[in-house]
Amino acid sequence: MKRREFLAATAAAAATAAGVMALTRGAIAADEKPATKKDIYELRLYKVEPDTRLKRTFKSDTDARRKRLDAYLGEVMAPALNRIGISPVGAFESRDAQVKDVYVLLTHPSADSVMTTTARLLGDEKFVNDSKAYLALPQDDPLYTRIESTMMLAFDGIPKIQAPDTSKARIFQMRIYESHSMLKGQKKVEMFNGGGEIALFRKCGITPVFFGESIVGPILPNLTYMITFPDTDAQKVAWKKFVDSPEWKKLSGDPQYKDTVSNITNLELRPTSYSQV
């Protein structure tokens, strides 16, 4: 190797080493700083409705299966989840009484909690005993047809779930915002956090429960949020105030937030009798 090439290679190696050391020092410094602990959410959809993709018939009708699922979730699953440190457990049904599926929101303290939930439940003697009759149901008479699950990381703006007073009447709205690209998805998250959309929600009477960026799930990229109201009238008044506000007109017209949402799923929900949210 020529002397000039050797010196150039040595300089490049030194620069790389310096860069690695700087990154390492930065990582260590970041670890030493007290970070805001953010919730990890697991949103489960317990499917009770018949699935046309499954060529199966069931002994019990939909109403009977839903009643049995409520007993399992309320009397067995929720208390067991609480015992292993997953709390609160939200359980929601559609405000359309014809829809029998149940959404269950689990608030985890860490990703490890998500990954070890099943093992910890099966290690809970009371859960195993209490769930025997439900988990041993035959294939032609199941507790549910399937569970669909999404894992989310809480937003910086709302790092912890904000459960409403469960002693008061309440309704919920859950909205799923899909984006056509990762960059646009992150821009919509930024619009809620730094852009001030969450603050504007509060100002207009729209009370947040949680905001989560989906990390794992069937529809990516997306963010999901849940908001609550005392009743339908309050919901209508709050949304009108929001849509008509000059702050929203300015924010929604900002070019940097253009085309951040490609599809919206809007779910009108109410809490089940055993919901802890």
Side-chain angles (χ1 to χ4, degrees), residues 43-112:
L43 181 63
R44 295 183 179 184
L45 172 57
Y46 283 79
K47 295 289 294 180
V48 179
E49 299 288 340
D51 193 326
T52 56
R53 294 173 296 177
L54 301 176
K55 297 180 179 179
R56 291 159 54 190
T57 56
F58 302 121
K59 287 182 178 179
S60 302
D61 61 26
T62 304
D63 287 335
R65 289 202 305 279
R66 171 56 196 275
K67 184 177 180 180
R68 189 167 57 193
L69 178 62
D70 282 335
Y72 169 71
L73 292 174
E75 299 171 13
V76 180
M77 177 63 85
L81 288 167
N82 292 163
R83 287 195 299 274
I84 63 172
I86 298 172
S87 179
V89 176
F92 313 94
E93 61 186 358
S94 174
R95 285 158 64 183
D96 178 354
Q98 300 301 311
V99 179
K100 303 300 181 182
D101 297 338
V102 181
Y103 283 93
V104 173
L105 177 68
L106 307 183
T107 304
H108 292 272
S110 66
D112 182 68

Side-chain angles (χ1 to χ4, degrees), residues 107-264:
T107 304
H108 292 272
S110 66
D112 182 68
S113 174
V114 180
M115 294 184 289
T116 61
T117 297
T118 297
R120 287 183 293 143
L121 283 174
L122 293 178
D124 184 302
E125 186 176 351
K126 181 170 174 54
F127 171 78
V128 172
N129 290 332
D130 293 348
S131 64
K132 280 181 180 178
Y134 299 103
L135 300 185
L137 288 168
Q139 191 176 56
D140 61 355
D141 195 23
L143 186 58
Y144 43 77
T145 56
R146 64 158 54 90
I147 302 173
E148 298 175 6
S149 182
T150 299
M151 177 180 171
M152 297 174 283
L153 179 64
F155 279 21
D156 290 341
I158 302 185
K160 295 287 184 181
I161 190 169
Q162 299 184 1
D165 186 345
T166 56
S167 68
K168 296 181 179 179
R170 63 210 187 280
I171 60 172
F172 296 89
Q173 194 172 356
M174 187 162 67
R175 292 168 67 82
I176 303 169
Y177 288 1
E178 299 172 49
S179 300
H180 73 275
S181 77
M182 183 187 301
L183 292 178
K184 288 296 185 180
Q186 289 300 304
K187 204 64 180 175
K188 184 58 187 177
V189 172
E190 178 191 308
M191 187 176 179
F192 276 109
N193 278 325
E197 193 170 351
I198 293 176
L200 184 56
F201 269 19
R202 296 186 189 279
K203 180 179 178 180
C204 295
I206 300 172
T207 304
V209 176
F210 80 86
F211 276 74
E213 178 188 353
S214 294
I215 306 301
V216 179
I219 312 172
L220 296 175
N222 85 67
L223 65 85
T224 299
Y225 68 85
M226 178 177 281
I227 49 184
T228 186
F229 308 88
D231 51 45
T232 303
D233 289 340
Q235 180 184 28
K236 291 178 180 178
V237 169
W239 272 119
K240 187 177 189 311
K241 186 176 181 180
F242 175 82
V243 172
D244 292 344
S245 69
E247 295 99 324
W248 171 242
K249 293 183 187 301
K250 180 181 179 181
L251 186 59
S252 60
D254 192 327
Q256 67 175 314
Y257 299 128
K258 183 180 180 182
D259 296 332
T260 53
V261 179
S262 58
N263 187 58
I264 296 176

Side-chain angles (χ1 to χ4, degrees), residues 14-27:
T16 300
V20 170
M21 290 176 68
L23 288 173
T24 302
R25 285 194 297 270

